[in-house]
Amino acid sequence: MIISIKDSFKLFGIFIITCCAVTVCNMFLNYYFDITGIESLINNEYAQIFYDAQVMTCKVVCGVSGGCLLATTVVMLFFYIKHYIDSHGKEIGILKALGYSDFRIARSFSVFGLSVFAGCFAGYLLSFALMPSFYELQNKDSILPEISVGFHPELFIYLVVAPAIIFACIAVVHSMKKLKQPAVNLLKGIAKVKNKNVDIKSRKNFITDMKSAVLRGRKTLVFFICFSSFCYAAMAQMSASMKDLSSEYMGIMIFIIGVTLALTTLYIAVTTVINSNRKNIAMMRVFGYQASQCKKAVLDGYRPAAYIGFVIGTAYQFGLLKIMVNIVFADFEGVPDYNFDVKMFFITLATFVVVYEGIMLIYSARIKKISVKEIMGD
């Protein structure tokens, strides 16, 4: 089996995340290289303090945001590989039965690196489109000498070429691990499942039991749901604080990135849950279960993860901004104190509830359209 380039570009979730990551990282790293070039021109203590704060900001932002999005990209890549192997098990099983080695099959997964390259390259180009405004914003009070946007080819290697190669290698190695199972298992669609002793007397009602089974079957999606609400909570609240701490421009950019990441990961997670449980939903409808009960069994189990992610995102943005204000800019005059914005928290929470629960209702309508006739040909 050869995975086509077309298959690679179906990984739009990875494209979006890598695009956002490289946009942010390249802006700040490019600024870091350019600002360090004018250090010798600084001739007063006030400017030196501001310079040190700007350098530290670049390091913190790239380290925190880049690291977080890198980890998410790895998890999403693993998810896509597992999903591809599960959905093409029969084809892979036939190839293994014909004598194809795991490595020979796995190496075709290297094309998944193209989605990383496409996302990184798009983010790289987007960052240069935003840089003139970003540079002007960073030095809007002309505390430092004029800083022009420079081109640093090594950043293209580090942020575009290297990630594509690294993730292509990760895809091959991880797919080899997933392919280490008998060909007959792949042909029959038998997944590796750890045996667990189940106490029949303690079994819950069917809906609750079904909900637990869905969560156990797609644990990675719990992370995606949590990450989605994390992005929404953190970026929405952080963007509101940028008006006082930085600028409205920075706030808008943070908000757009946060909402884009949140909606992308939520869409991937919920769509996968519905598609992977279409047969179960159809059979539940046949036995008289209402669409609302199907939704409860398939989707409602992820609600705790969504609200836990919201809490973590709230704590994350508060801690990060506190560090920036009290440590990075501690010696710089004119920086306002930052305290937890209770009003913005409840506004963000209210909008999150409306958005999340609204999306769940939309997918409930999709559940109603699933029928036994539709899945008989699967």
Side-chain angles (χ1 to χ4, degrees), residues 4 19 21 55 80 105 124 127 185 202 219-220 276 307 319 324 364 372-373:
S4 66
C19 180
V55 170
Y80 275 125
I105 299 173
Y124 186 79
S127 66
N185 284 11
S202 65
K219 294 179 182 178
T220 305
S276 61
Y307 288 97
M324 296 297 293
S364 295
V372 174
K373 183 178 179 181

Side-chain angles (χ1 to χ4, degrees), residues 115-232:
S115 63
V116 176
F117 177 82
C120 292
F121 187 66
Y124 186 79
L125 295 179
L126 179 59
S127 66
F128 274 100
L130 298 174
M131 273 185 203
S133 299
F134 176 71
Y135 274 49
E136 182 180 351
L137 172 65
Q138 292 296 94
N139 194 30
K140 61 182 179 180
D141 296 324
S142 300
I143 298 173
L144 299 174
E146 184 178 354
I147 306 170
S148 58
V149 178
F151 176 71
H152 305 280
E154 61 270 29
L155 289 180
F156 181 81
I157 302 297
Y158 297 150
L159 297 177
V160 179
V161 178
I165 296 174
I166 291 172
F167 275 93
C169 294
I170 291 175
V172 172
V173 173
H174 185 68
S175 59
M176 283 186 64
K177 180 181 176 182
K178 289 296 179 182
L179 290 169
K180 288 187 179 301
Q181 53 183 302
V184 67
N185 284 11
L186 293 166
L187 288 168
K188 292 182 178 181
I190 301 174
K192 290 182 178 180
V193 179
K194 294 181 179 179
N195 293 324
K196 293 185 178 181
N197 295 323
V198 180
D199 185 2
I200 301 299
K201 295 181 180 180
S202 65
R203 285 177 65 87
K204 306 170 185 177
N205 64 67
F206 176 77
I207 299 295
T208 305
D209 195 49
M210 177 71 174
K211 186 191 301 182
S212 300
V214 170
L215 290 175
R216 291 195 302 269
R218 296 283 179 175
K219 294 179 182 178
T220 305
L221 300 182
V222 175
F223 171 81
F224 288 162
I225 295 287
C226 188
F227 178 75
S228 172
S229 55
F230 169 88
C231 290
Y232 188 91

Side-chain angles (χ1 to χ4, degrees), residues 225-272:
I225 295 287
C226 188
F227 178 75
S228 172
S229 55
F230 169 88
C231 290
Y232 188 91
M235 299 304 190
Q237 294 179 76
M238 191 181 296
S239 65
S241 303
M242 288 299 104
K243 183 176 180 181
D244 295 327
L245 298 177
S246 181
S247 69
E248 291 185 2
Y249 173 84
M250 184 65 71
I252 292 173
M253 184 179 71
I254 290 174
F255 181 78
I256 292 175
I257 290 176
V259 171
T260 301
L261 290 172
L263 293 180
T264 299
T265 51
L266 182 61
Y267 172 79
I268 292 171
V270 179
T271 301
T272 304

Side-chain angles (χ1 to χ4, degrees), residues 63-76:
V64 174
S65 62
C68 179
L69 295 177
L70 174 65
T72 305
T73 304
V74 172
V75 173
M76 188 166 287

